[in-house]
Amino acid sequence: MVLALTVCGIVIALVVVGLFLFGLRRRLIQRSGGTFDCSLRWDVAEKPDAGGKGWSYGVARYNGDRIEWYRVFSYALRPRRTLERAAIEVAGRRLPEGEEELALLSDAVILACTHRGTRLELAMSEDALTGFLAWLEAAPPGQRVNVA
């Protein structure tokens, strides 16, 4: 009986510590500001399926001329993807279709882009999309920006 209670206590303590570390990591990412919720689908086919597969929920952070994208369900302190402003080309936007509506946040808008020849899709709120497009267009003089 004592062994069972000890094991349950250890498991509960590990779960609490794990949840605390998730929260702490998110606070560290958001500490410098300029963050927004953003789902990412990397290396998308020419005609993406509406099955909702391939989406990863994350947090994106503006850092100078880059967007740093972090997975939410990870303990890594480094960004999973880094997108340079000069290398991002926006191909279009659309609303989620089919099962994508279940895989993404309720108010998400999907932005189809390419980054250094790789097709990707970013899903974010309308407000975050407005900020993202403004950030893209605010490139320093002499840099090309391709926004459809």
Side-chain angles (χ1 to χ4, degrees):
M1 181 70 172
V2 173
L3 179 63
L5 289 174
T6 303
V7 170
C8 287
I10 291 171
V11 168
I12 290 172
L14 289 175
V15 168
V16 169
V17 168
L19 291 174
F20 174 77
L21 290 176
F22 269 130
L24 179 64
R25 176 181 171 267
R26 177 120 182 187
R27 294 289 289 167
L28 289 173
I29 291 169
Q30 293 178 326
R31 179 177 60 189
S32 64
T35 60
F36 58 96
D37 292 331
C38 177
S39 296
L40 172 75
R41 183 156 62 171
W42 191 260
D43 204 12
V44 180
E46 183 81 28
K47 174 69 174 136
D49 67 345
K53 294 183 180 179
W55 286 105
S56 296
Y57 183 63
V59 175
R61 176 174 69 182
Y62 297 106
N63 187 0
D65 284 339
R66 296 183 314 225
I67 292 276
E68 296 173 337
W69 185 82
Y70 299 83
R71 290 181 60 137
V72 167
F73 300 108
S74 170
Y75 290 109
L77 295 176
R78 292 186 178 184
R80 177 74 173 219
R81 301 277 183 208
T82 301
L83 307 174
E84 295 85 16
R85 179 175 11 207
I88 299 172
E89 296 181 22
V90 177
R93 75 168 86 174
R94 63 183 179 84
L95 294 175
E97 302 170 351
E99 292 182 29
E100 279 182 328
E101 293 177 21
L102 301 174
L104 301 173
L105 295 174
S106 62
D107 63 343
V109 177
I110 299 172
L111 194 65
C113 303
T114 58
H115 182 263
R116 301 196 185 284
T118 302
R119 295 177 190 270
L120 62 111
E121 291 182 327
L122 300 169
M124 60 191 85
S125 70
E126 190 72 43
D127 291 340
L129 176 63
T130 301
F132 179 78
L133 293 175
W135 175 80
L136 275 179
E137 292 175 357
Q143 283 189 355
R144 65 172 178 81
V145 176
N146 295 317
V147 179

